[in-house]
Amino acid sequence: MGAVAEGSPSIRAQANLSALGLHEMAASLPDYVRMVAAGERGFASALEEMTRVEVAAREVRITSQRIRSSGFPYVKGLADFDWDFQPSVPRAEIEELATLRFVERAENVLFVGSPGVGKTHLAVALGIEAVRAGREVRFVDCARLVEDLEDASSRGILKKRLKYYAHSRLLIIDELGYLDVGSAGADLLFQLISTRYEQRSTIITTNVGISGWGRVFGDDVAASAIADRVCHHCHLVKITGRSYRLKDLPRDGPVKP
């Protein structure tokens, strides 16, 4: 500290900015000191530019942290989606969803299609757009969600856990149908969907058409009740085509050794 204390005002200011966590300003300070001294910038103009860059960097850090804490399995946007490989995806509709007007209207999105056709990628991309717009987003695998709610119920904290999932402006439930939920899980999901109904938006990805949800939930009545609330204000996107993960394999299957 002694060396810093004895340094020039510029060096001391730079050290103070770093200590305050204003690292972008600290890094650019010497250049702006030179520009102000040379008359290339006024003091107020230099300060405005430095703080603007610092604010932008802070927003990037906050957004990155929110993306990490939202539970996404990976970070991919719409720019990463291979539209040519999946021509059945209604690009104009997806881009409209990316405006997030559906979130403002508390509408839902249901992606239906076989494994690997891009359902999760599109759900993640919309979720990341929502995070960047300052919305609270939670991404969760359906089986894990049911397991979590069942555990909360067994410990007597179901109400608290339902409130946790219900609070997010956008909840993404991934892979409904890959594992059977059962009637107990169906009841818990019904409670969650009912809490969010017409209040918050939910995106669901599933490989099972709505007519097959009775098998997934083990209860036709519960399945119908859940589907009724999900689909009332809903954008249904059906995706057909080959799995992107298998795109490099020949169409007639893998080559045998």
Side-chain angles (χ1 to χ4, degrees):
M1 290 293 296
V4 173
E6 296 174 2
S8 67
S10 176
I11 292 175
R12 294 199 299 273
Q14 193 171 26
N16 290 340
L17 290 171
S18 294
L20 291 170
L22 304 175
H23 302 296
E24 297 295 328
M25 292 182 67
S28 64
L29 182 63
D31 289 335
Y32 279 102
V33 168
R34 178 189 58 77
M35 286 187 283
V36 169
E40 298 173 9
R41 293 284 195 285
F43 176 77
S45 176
L47 185 61
E48 186 276 332
E49 289 182 24
M50 291 172 64
T51 52
R52 172 158 41 87
V53 171
E54 187 67 51
V55 167
R58 180 176 180 271
E59 289 177 349
V60 169
R61 290 194 300 271
I62 290 174
T63 299
S64 296
Q65 175 58 40
R66 287 176 175 169
I67 289 174
R68 287 193 296 271
S69 65
S70 293
F72 297 113
Y74 47 73
V75 177
K76 289 184 179 180
L78 292 182
D80 303 308
F81 191 79
D82 192 338
W83 303 98
D84 293 332
F85 184 79
Q86 296 294 16
S88 69
V89 176
R91 183 169 184 171
E93 182 176 357
I94 301 301
E95 290 177 343
E96 164 60 26
L97 291 173
T99 66
L100 305 178
R101 282 188 276 266
F102 80 97
V103 175
E104 300 308 313
R105 295 190 292 257
E107 297 169 347
N108 302 320
V109 180
L110 182 61
F111 289 110
V112 182
S114 301
V117 296
K119 305 183 301 297
T120 299
H121 183 154
L122 292 172
V124 167
L126 294 177
I128 288 175
E129 288 295 324
V131 171
R132 288 174 175 161
R135 310 295 189 272
E136 184 176 344
V137 179
R138 176 62 50 192
F139 182 104
V140 63
D141 176 86
C142 183
R144 188 172 300 175
L145 171 61
V146 170
E147 181 181 345
D148 188 24
L149 293 178
E150 288 178 338
D151 176 68
S153 180
S154 69
R155 294 191 289 131
I157 58 170
L158 178 60
K159 185 176 181 180
K160 179 179 179 181
R161 204 60 182 159
L162 285 172
K163 184 177 180 180
Y164 167 78
Y165 286 112
H167 179 72
S168 298
R169 288 295 302 275
L170 177 60
L171 175 65
I172 303 174
I173 303 175
D174 193 38
E175 298 189 338
L176 186 155
Y178 284 86
L179 295 174
D180 290 347
V181 172
S183 58
D187 178 66
L188 294 170
L189 278 179
F190 173 75
Q191 291 183 58
L192 175 58
I193 295 298
S194 294
T195 302
R196 297 181 60 81
Y197 177 58
E198 296 189 322
Q199 302 298 318
R200 297 283 190 271
S201 293
T202 303
I203 295 177
I204 295 176
T205 74
T206 179
N207 65 323
V208 180
I210 295 171
S211 62
W213 283 15
R215 175 189 58 78
V216 174
F217 295 120
D219 186 326
D220 289 336
V221 174
S224 178
I226 292 171
D228 179 66
R229 284 158 179 76
V230 169
C231 298
H232 184 202
H233 305 290
C234 181
H235 301 266
L236 175 61
V237 180
K238 295 182 179 179
I239 307 175
T240 59
R242 300 178 69 207
S243 167
Y244 186 79
R245 290 186 286 270
L246 303 178
K247 68 183 180 69
D248 295 325
L249 294 179
R251 286 188 176 272
D252 56 354
V255 178
K256 295 181 179 179

